[in-house]
Amino acid sequence: QVQLVQSGAEVKKPGASVKVSCKVSGYTLTELSMHWVRQAPGKGLEWMGGFDPEDGETIYAQKFQGRVTMTEDTSTDTAYMELSSLRSEDTAVYYCATPSWRGYFADYWGQGTLVTVSS
Amino acid sequence: SYGLPQPPSLSVSPGQTARITCSADALPKQYAYWYQQKPGQAPVLVIYKDSERPSGIPERFSGSSSGTTVTLTISGVQAEDEADYYCQSADSSGAWVFGGGTKLTVL
């Protein structure tokens, strides 16, 4: 059973960066393909990027290219998502999510981290 | 990249059948997945690989596909099924794509 526990809510000013963490338990991070999905208030789900096991690389949604970085610390089984040059439209709940077997989906999700961007 | 159109809303009475469709021209090459999301909660996978149901998901949830359309069917809808439902697939590069979501209201 995979458990994903995310870091707490953040409030940031426009132009700043935010780094959200996702601690894995039940599996090791190397056994999983971590992805990040966000949801703006009252809006739908939006995929930001994640690890593609087919080519062994992290891929990012075109919308976030150059502004998002996803990293992993395998020594602590923690995944990170850093988003820079924040603007008000980045206010959202950010989720880490992963499939428990190879595939382009997620059956395990973190609890979500609310990031508020406000001056 | 491509979009996955879904109806924005659907209302059904308890005991009726709810069918939510999702269309994409790339679906024949990629599986579709369905998630249920209740307010304030993370999404829950209810259908994978077009029609498979994860353990713990009630049998009233089923999925099907036909050409470029996939359908989530909830038979005998219950009040607890009121939620937002999202379809999801992936393009040839491995990028995930979500539908816009369908708000299911149980009358």
Side-chain angles (χ1 to χ4, degrees):
Chain A
Q1 183 89 356
V2 177
Q3 286 194 313
L4 306 177
V5 178
Q6 298 182 223
S7 48
E10 303 260 13
V11 179
K12 295 292 183 180
K13 292 192 182 302
S17 297
V18 68
K19 193 170 186 177
V20 179
S21 68
C22 175
K23 168 73 174 172
V24 175
S25 61
Y27 276 59
T28 63
L29 194 50
T30 55
E31 296 176 286
L32 303 172
S33 299
M34 195 63 69
H35 291 256
W36 293 86
V37 175
R38 78 176 187 179
Q39 186 171 37
K43 302 296 184 182
L45 301 172
E46 182 174 33
W47 179 80
M48 300 180 69
F51 184 78
D52 185 350
E54 294 299 321
D55 56 18
E57 293 185 356
T58 297
I59 59 174
Y60 300 117
Q62 193 169 7
K63 175 178 179 177
F64 301 103
Q65 288 275 2
R67 216 164 56 95
V68 68
T69 304
M70 296 173 188
T71 57
E72 297 181 348
D73 182 345
T74 55
S75 68
T76 60
D77 287 321
T78 303
Y80 298 91
M81 186 284 299
E82 184 169 21
L83 188 62
S84 62
S85 302
L86 291 169
R87 35 210 187 230
S88 59
E89 310 90 88
D90 294 317
T91 293
V93 175
Y94 290 76
Y95 293 100
C96 58
T98 185
S100 58
W101 69 90
R102 180 170 286 200
Y104 298 104
F105 71 100
D107 54 342
Y108 289 101
W109 294 70
Q111 83 275 20
T113 295
L114 175 62
V115 175
T116 302
V117 183
S118 174
S119 55
Chain B
S1 177
Y2 56 89
L4 298 178
Q6 292 182 236
S9 63
L10 178 66
S11 298
V12 298
S13 299
Q16 289 189 328
T17 296
R19 294 183 179 85
I20 302 172
T21 58
C22 178
S23 302
D25 56 7
L27 274 177
K29 302 175 184 177
Q30 299 287 349
Y31 288 118
Y33 305 86
W34 289 94
Y35 301 90
Q36 175 194 69
Q37 187 182 34
K38 296 182 178 179
Q41 298 183 19
V44 173
L45 182 72
V46 294
I47 294 291
Y48 66 97
K49 285 187 175 181
D50 294 349
S51 59
E52 300 294 323
R53 191 175 54 249
S55 61
I57 300 301
E59 290 184 7
R60 63 180 181 274
F61 289 86
S62 63
S64 61
S65 68
S66 177
T68 59
T69 300
V70 290
T71 302
L72 172 68
T73 301
I74 310 171
S75 304
V77 167
Q78 300 183 7
E80 67 200 53
D81 300 330
E82 186 163 288
D84 294 326
Y85 291 86
Y86 295 91
C87 63
Q88 179 247 314
S89 189
D91 68 17
S92 56
S93 71
W96 296 8
V97 181
F98 285 98
T102 298
K103 182 177 181 61
L104 176 66
T105 300
V106 181
L107 300 171

